[in-house]
């Protein structure tokens, strides 16, 4: 059982985080439902567990994300956080209720900002609605800059 709340608060679930190997992930989550391989030059490999998807580059987890819309069945998440689609205001309210700290990261391609939690997990929005929870190397770099700037 994966605690979604643990993941968004700490950036880890069952001890897994960015940098985990495929073998470590399989030891915790079992065999993935499906796999994908992209055609990018670094040839990332994606393990899919329903809505949870983990991208591996050079054998290490580089990106973990949970799609809110579609993408198969829910993995075995604990019922400690709702996965239903939310508006930006509803997500902010849930974060405030749990006293979680975040900052906005404006994506250059769109006019919408992600909410990046200090754990490194971000809430990504499309047309004002939550579509994905994400944690990757990009978010980790943003958190480090945020912490340096504010002395946290």
């Amino acid at each position: 059982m994966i605690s979604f709340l643990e993941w968004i608060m700490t950036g880890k679930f069952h001890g897994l985080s960015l940098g985990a190997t495929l073998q470590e992930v399989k030891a915790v989550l079992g065999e993935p439902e499906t796999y994908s391989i992209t055609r990018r030059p670094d040839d990332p490999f994606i393990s899919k567990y329903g809505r949870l998807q983990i991208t591996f580059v050079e054998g290490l987890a580089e990106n973990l994300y949970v799609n809110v819309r579609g993408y198969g069945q829910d993995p075995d998440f604990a019922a400690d956080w709702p996965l239903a689609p939310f508006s930006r205001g509803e997500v902010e309210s849930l974060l405030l209720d749990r006293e979680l700290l975040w900052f906005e990261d404006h994506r250059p391609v769109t006019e919408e900002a992600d909410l990046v939690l200090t754990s490194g997990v971000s809430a990504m929005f499309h047309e004002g609605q939550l579509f994905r929870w994400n944690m990757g190397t990009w978010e980790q770099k943003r958190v480090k800059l945020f912490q340096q700037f504010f002395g946290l």
Side-chain angles (χ1 to χ4, degrees):
M1 176 98 33
I2 299 169
S3 169
F4 193 76
L5 185 57
E6 173 190 354
W7 180 56
I8 66 170
M9 290 178 69
T10 67
K12 297 180 182 183
F13 55 88
H14 294 298
L16 294 176
S17 187
L18 297 181
T21 66
L22 179 60
Q23 292 75 22
E24 291 169 333
V25 170
K26 284 182 178 180
V28 172
L29 301 177
E31 286 293 324
E33 292 174 15
T34 59
Y35 296 100
S36 293
I37 297 176
T38 66
R39 298 183 189 270
R40 289 185 9 207
D42 55 0
D43 205 29
F45 174 83
I46 303 169
S47 290
K48 299 178 181 181
Y49 297 87
R51 294 175 187 235
L52 172 65
Q53 298 187 23
I54 304 172
T55 303
F56 294 88
V57 176
E58 297 180 3
L60 301 176
E62 184 177 89
N63 193 303
L64 294 92
Y65 58 92
V66 176
N67 288 298
V68 175
R69 300 180 190 169
Y71 293 92
Q73 301 300 310
D74 288 330
D76 199 12
F77 282 114
D80 59 2
W81 187 272
L83 290 178
F86 294 108
S87 69
R88 181 182 194 86
E90 290 169 319
V91 171
E92 289 177 355
S93 179
L94 282 169
L95 296 174
L96 283 171
D97 287 347
R98 287 163 178 84
E99 299 179 354
L100 297 173
L101 181 63
W102 75 87
F103 60 93
E104 290 188 354
D105 186 23
H106 292 269
R107 288 180 271 154
V109 179
T110 70
E111 295 180 14
E112 295 190 84
D114 298 337
L115 300 178
V116 183
L117 283 70
T118 54
S119 64
V121 176
S122 66
M124 302 177 78
F125 297 87
H126 179 69
E127 296 179 357
Q129 295 293 307
L130 177 67
F131 78 93
R132 176 185 294 167
W133 290 94
N134 188 71
M135 183 177 71
T137 53
W138 175 258
E139 286 82 8
Q140 295 295 313
K141 291 175 186 175
R142 292 290 176 248
V143 168
K144 286 180 184 175
L145 289 172
F146 175 80
Q147 290 171 335
Q148 289 172 351
F149 186 79
F150 289 103
L152 300 174

